[in-house]
Amino acid sequence: MASFAEVNRKLSRLRKRHVQAPWEQQFSYHLDRLLEHDGEGNALPRPILDATGETRGILAVAGPGGGKTWTVHRTLSRHPALRMQGDGSRPYIASTVPSGATYKSMAQQLLVDSGYEMETTRRAGWESWEAFRHRVRTLGTAVLWIDEAHDLFRRENENILPALKSLMQGDGAVVLILTGTEALDQVIRSDPQVKRRLSTVRIPDVSVEHDRENFESLIEEYCDLVELEAAIESDLVDRLAHGARHQFGRVITTIVEAIEQALVSGDAVLTTQHFAEAYDLKEGCEPDRNVSLLPDWHRIDPDSDPFAPILPMPRRRRR
């Protein structure tokens, strides 16, 4: 068995590598069209305002593990117009919805993520939102990103949508980016005034028919980086995508975790067995519910009870 220090050293090479997602360019387009540009076509850290002084925003939707968070993080952190200049400005602010978020706690989280030192939490919710609006004006913030935004509406936060809408209006208005699951999309569509201000980037599920060769090449590339051989069976990517709920980010993570199993065991070849071990490590399921082991793996629902029996396929009646 290899040492964990050596395994982690090799895995760090994989985790640092960026896998180009097909929708990254689409998201960059959505963002660039909302920022001002100079005469040479360079984006500026200023949002475009319409005739009423309002900005627009972006709604990025995907399933859990779809890759939306990484896509937005990478785009914002590498965007030439949004880099920190050392003058105290904050071209963009990134925030994640806190657990059990309320109207008030979300505003406080935004203040903290903007670098504001909270002295008291006694102020009312609307006061915290006003304080944050003043904060973005002071910092010259052009873009605000709120991740896991669907969690904002698990409670009846009837004031959240108006508060978000107000951030795209008036002095200091920002480009608002919301990322979340389909539940977020449903909430946004329920408010036409908010929906018309947001363009939508919908991250699709992994399509094995279109992505099979790309994932097979990626597995081989990753194996080369850590000095493994790859024994790729014909249905490996099908099983991999099914177990990862057809979510891009989950597929990449599972590949790395399978390679980890091979390295820890000291094996020289990455096989289906290592993917089975990685799936079991993540799901904690019985062997007869492991998508990498069961012959009729397509009948497994990865989100169902991991110990529930799998019903046999019904027989067709002959006429």
Side-chain angles (χ1 to χ4, degrees):
M1 179 177 290
S3 70
F4 282 107
E6 177 64 15
V7 170
N8 288 331
R9 184 183 66 80
K10 291 183 176 182
L11 292 178
S12 66
R13 300 179 195 170
L14 307 184
R15 292 174 178 138
K16 291 178 181 178
R17 292 184 69 83
H18 173 64
V19 181
Q20 182 75 32
W23 52 82
E24 286 185 27
Q25 188 173 1
Q26 179 189 8
F27 179 79
S28 294
Y29 167 75
H30 278 248
L31 176 60
D32 284 339
R33 63 186 288 273
L34 301 180
L35 298 175
E36 291 186 5
H37 290 70
D38 62 20
E40 298 179 353
N42 300 310
L44 300 173
R46 294 198 300 267
I48 293 176
L49 303 178
D50 63 16
T52 63
E54 296 183 356
T55 61
R56 292 293 183 263
I58 306 170
L59 175 66
V61 178
K68 56 189 178 297
T69 299
W70 174 244
T71 295
V72 178
H73 166 73
R74 180 176 172 82
T75 302
L76 296 182
S77 63
R78 296 168 64 90
H79 198 289
L82 302 178
R83 292 174 181 167
M84 303 295 182
Q85 301 299 324
D87 57 359
S89 63
R90 292 283 295 271
Y92 79 91
I93 295 173
S95 183
T96 301
V97 175
S99 176
T102 63
Y103 172 71
K104 179 178 179 179
S105 68
M106 186 67 242
Q108 292 173 341
Q109 184 65 50
L110 290 171
L111 284 169
V112 170
D113 291 332
S114 72
Y116 182 80
E117 294 185 7
M118 295 292 293
E119 298 176 356
T120 178
T121 59
R122 293 181 180 178
R123 61 160 60 107
W126 68 268
E127 291 178 304
S128 295
W129 281 97
E130 283 302 312
F132 180 69
R133 284 175 58 86
H134 174 74
R135 183 77 175 152
V136 297
R137 288 194 297 269
T138 302
L139 296 174
T141 300
V143 176
L144 169 64
W145 169 34
I146 301 179
D147 193 23
E148 304 294 340
H150 51 272
D151 286 336
L152 275 173
F153 306 98
R154 292 189 183 277
R155 299 184 179 186
E156 303 224 350
N157 289 331
E158 58 196 24
N159 295 320
I160 289 291
L161 280 177
L164 295 176
K165 182 169 60 178
S166 71
L167 294 175
M168 295 186 285
Q169 299 172 325
D171 187 22
V174 298
V175 170
L176 179 65
I177 301 174
L178 301 177
T179 50
T181 63
E182 288 290 341
L184 173 63
D185 186 34
Q186 296 173 11
V187 171
I188 296 301
R189 289 182 181 278
S190 70
D191 189 318
Q193 291 189 16
V194 176
K195 181 64 186 77
R196 72 176 180 83
R197 291 176 168 86
L198 302 176
S199 62
T200 302
V201 177
R202 195 174 301 279
I203 297 177
D205 290 350
V206 167
S207 169
V208 176
E209 289 75 14
H210 294 91
D211 301 327
R212 184 191 309 279
E213 291 184 4
N214 291 333
F215 283 123
E216 288 178 347
S217 297
L218 180 65
I219 292 171
E220 293 175 345
E221 177 186 343
Y222 274 17
C223 284
D224 287 341
L225 288 172
V226 297
E227 302 174 337
L228 284 177
E229 293 185 22
I232 301 177
E233 297 185 12
S234 59
D235 62 351
L236 173 62
V237 174
D238 301 75
R239 295 171 180 265
L240 173 61
H242 185 73
R245 285 72 165 174
H246 290 269
Q247 297 302 305
F248 185 84
R250 284 191 174 192
V251 171
I252 304 301
T253 299
T254 305
I255 293 173
V256 174
E257 290 173 344
I259 290 176
E260 177 186 6
Q261 296 304 307
L263 293 175
V264 169
S265 300
D267 296 331
V269 181
L270 178 71
T271 66
T272 298
Q273 178 61 34
H274 298 122
F275 282 90
E277 293 169 1
Y279 187 81
D280 178 55
L281 187 69
K282 180 73 73 176
E283 305 292 340
C285 61
E286 294 295 322
D288 63 354
R289 295 190 65 87
N290 193 311
V291 297
S292 293
L293 296 177
L294 199 67
D296 47 354
W297 52 268
H298 53 277
R299 291 200 290 118
I300 298 174
D301 179 2
D303 291 318
S304 65
D305 183 351
F307 300 102
I310 300 176
L311 299 178
M313 293 286 287
R315 295 182 179 180
R316 292 184 179 180
R317 294 182 177 178
R318 293 182 179 180
R319 293 183 178 179

